[in-house]
Amino acid sequence: MRHVVMSGWTPIFIACGPLANAGKTLSARLFLEFCRASGRSPLAFDVNPHDAELAATTSGAAHIVNLSTTAGQMRLFEGMLQAGPEARVVDLWHGSYEPFLDLMEQMEFASEAARRDFRLVLLLHGRSLEDLDIQAEQLRARINPAETIVVLNEHICESAGPSFARFEHSLSIPVLAPSILQQLARMRLGLVEGIDAERGLHSMVARSCLRDWLTQIFAQFHCIELRHRLGATTFNPG
């Protein structure tokens, strides 16, 4: 009898894109909370020293990094490859997008990450499908090996609809009522904390909407995880 043995899963998720206000921080926050909800504590980095929103919305769970300094570069790149099974998540400020990619290419970071058995996953954000199409192709050409996942944030991205299926790998973030996110911010609650009946949002309807929204997104993260695990599946006789 042969037994299926799935590989370990140590991803480096990088929420990135060349535009401001494209939903990168929300995607990074969602993956961070997905890990926490799965009983894992990820290593998180907020690459926006001017407005560290990921660190602020996760009670300081993310290290704030200034990529314009040598110390900041060392903290980020060495931190991403730090030994350990924890997932890594990076919220990349749009102002650091090109310098970050240049550094990755110079250091051959993607190859080194693969050599150390990390899975590099680039969550690409934008405002239109046409721009995302071009940017995804450019990103795949520059950073390899890595998986580029195009993010459709329906709060932001124009031309959302069935045509989004043209991308090989994608992540869809459906619309959530802005009032729910505002309530979470006022109450200083995490996304998952918000659905708790005792300590979460006061409205039962709001908790239900938030739970359904998180379920849709977390299911997609789980599929990404499973795809990577199965991609490195081995078969042992016995």
Side-chain angles (χ1 to χ4, degrees), residues 2-238:
R2 296 192 301 172
H3 300 281
V4 178
V5 180
M6 289 195 294
S7 71
W9 163 248
T10 309
I12 303 174
F13 266 72
I14 302 175
C16 61
L19 301 178
N21 303 314
K24 296 180 291 293
T25 298
L26 180 59
S27 296
R29 182 182 179 187
L30 281 162
F31 182 69
L32 187 153
E33 296 223 22
F34 166 75
C35 291
R36 284 178 165 178
S38 306
R40 299 169 287 180
S41 297
L43 296 175
F45 301 91
D46 190 332
V47 191
N48 186 347
H50 310 290
D51 182 18
E53 186 180 348
L54 181 64
T57 56
T58 56
S59 302
H63 302 288
I64 302 172
V65 173
N66 186 345
L67 206 60
S68 66
T69 68
T70 300
Q73 294 170 16
M74 292 174 62
R75 188 175 191 184
L76 177 61
F77 286 99
E78 292 179 5
M80 285 192 289
L81 295 182
Q82 177 180 317
E86 302 90 352
R88 291 101 212 274
V89 56
V90 178
D91 180 14
L92 184 63
W93 178 46
H94 73 281
S96 296
Y97 180 72
E98 284 297 335
F100 176 79
L101 295 183
D102 289 342
L103 286 168
M104 289 191 81
E105 288 182 297
Q106 292 168 19
M107 294 186 292
E108 298 183 345
F109 180 85
S111 297
E112 181 62 19
R115 188 184 70 81
R116 300 192 193 188
D117 291 329
F118 288 98
R119 302 289 187 268
L120 188 57
V121 180
L122 307 173
L123 299 177
L124 179 63
H125 296 70
R127 293 186 175 277
S128 73
L129 298 183
E130 290 72 22
D131 288 344
L132 283 167
D133 213 353
I134 295 169
Q135 291 158 8
E137 189 63 31
Q138 294 172 342
L139 199 53
R140 282 191 289 267
R142 293 182 67 177
I143 309 300
N144 187 53
E147 178 180 3
T148 298
I149 297 179
V150 175
V151 178
L152 170 62
N153 185 323
E154 295 184 14
H155 296 91
I156 297 165
C157 189
E158 299 173 358
S159 304
S163 59
F164 193 66
R166 73 198 203 204
F167 297 106
E168 181 181 6
H169 297 304
S170 59
L171 173 71
S172 178
I173 298 179
V175 172
L176 178 69
S179 60
I180 294 178
L181 291 173
Q182 292 164 6
Q183 289 176 54
L184 290 170
R186 283 197 301 269
M187 298 173 69
R188 296 186 178 181
L189 293 172
L191 298 170
V192 175
E193 289 176 323
I195 65 178
D196 186 270
E198 295 182 1
R199 299 181 296 275
L201 297 172
H202 302 309
S203 167
M204 180 174 62
V205 174
R207 291 199 305 273
S208 178
C209 290
L210 179 59
R211 182 182 298 108
D212 290 345
W213 183 72
L214 288 174
T215 298
Q216 293 180 59
I217 299 165
F218 284 6
Q220 294 176 77
F221 282 133
H222 181 69
C223 287
I224 295 169
E225 176 179 2
L226 188 59
R227 183 171 70 244
H228 278 267
R229 286 182 180 273
L230 289 172
T233 295
T234 59
F235 296 91
N236 289 346

